[in-house]
């Protein structure tokens, strides 16, 4: 069994931290893509409100999970807050 201070354990912890940051960044980019739908909705070319609504609800749950974890799971929080905001805006602007 490897100790918590072994080089292999330290490399794994560093890799997991990097992976978390990359995943958070990609999640933010995914939700930024709602800006195009919001723009289209505001121009009168309405998209479906279902997908952004479900994404928003999903992000609310993941953000709550991140806040309730001990210690807080900051990458999960950071990755999902834009989804709450942009999913909500995309949902509301898609209603006509």
């Amino acid at each position: 069994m490897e100790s918590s201070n072994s080089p292999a354990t330290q490399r794994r912890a560093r890799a997991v931290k990097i992976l978390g940051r990359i995943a958070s960044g990609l999640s933010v980019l995914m939700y930024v893509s709602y800006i195009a739908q919001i723009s289209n909705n505001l121009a009168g070319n309405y998209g479906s409100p279902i997908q952004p609504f479900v994404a928003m609800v999903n992000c609310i749950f993941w953000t709550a999970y991140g806040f309730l974890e001990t210690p807080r799971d900051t990458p999960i929080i950071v990755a999902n807050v834009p989804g709450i905001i942009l999913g909500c805006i995309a949902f509301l602007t898609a209603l006509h």
Side-chain angles (χ1 to χ4, degrees):
M1 179 178 248
E2 293 180 22
S3 73
S4 62
N5 292 327
S6 75
T9 301
Q10 291 174 354
R11 280 191 305 273
R12 183 182 184 283
R14 180 167 156 66
V16 168
K17 190 172 190 175
I18 291 169
L19 183 62
R21 288 181 178 166
I22 291 169
S24 292
L26 291 172
S27 290
V28 169
L29 289 175
M30 178 176 60
Y31 295 119
V32 165
S33 70
Y34 278 131
I35 293 172
Q37 180 178 350
I38 293 165
S39 178
N40 286 337
N41 291 341
L42 292 173
N45 302 315
Y46 299 102
S48 172
I50 295 169
Q51 200 278 334
F53 177 77
V54 173
M56 178 189 66
V57 171
N58 177 58
C59 290
I60 289 169
F61 276 83
W62 276 113
T63 301
Y65 170 84
F67 272 111
L68 295 173
E69 272 289 287
T70 305
R72 280 193 178 139
D73 198 332
T74 304
I76 286 181
I77 295 167
V78 169
N80 286 283
V81 168
I84 295 170
I85 295 165
L86 293 170
C88 179
I89 294 169
F91 169 71
L92 292 174
T93 59
L95 299 176
H96 50 14

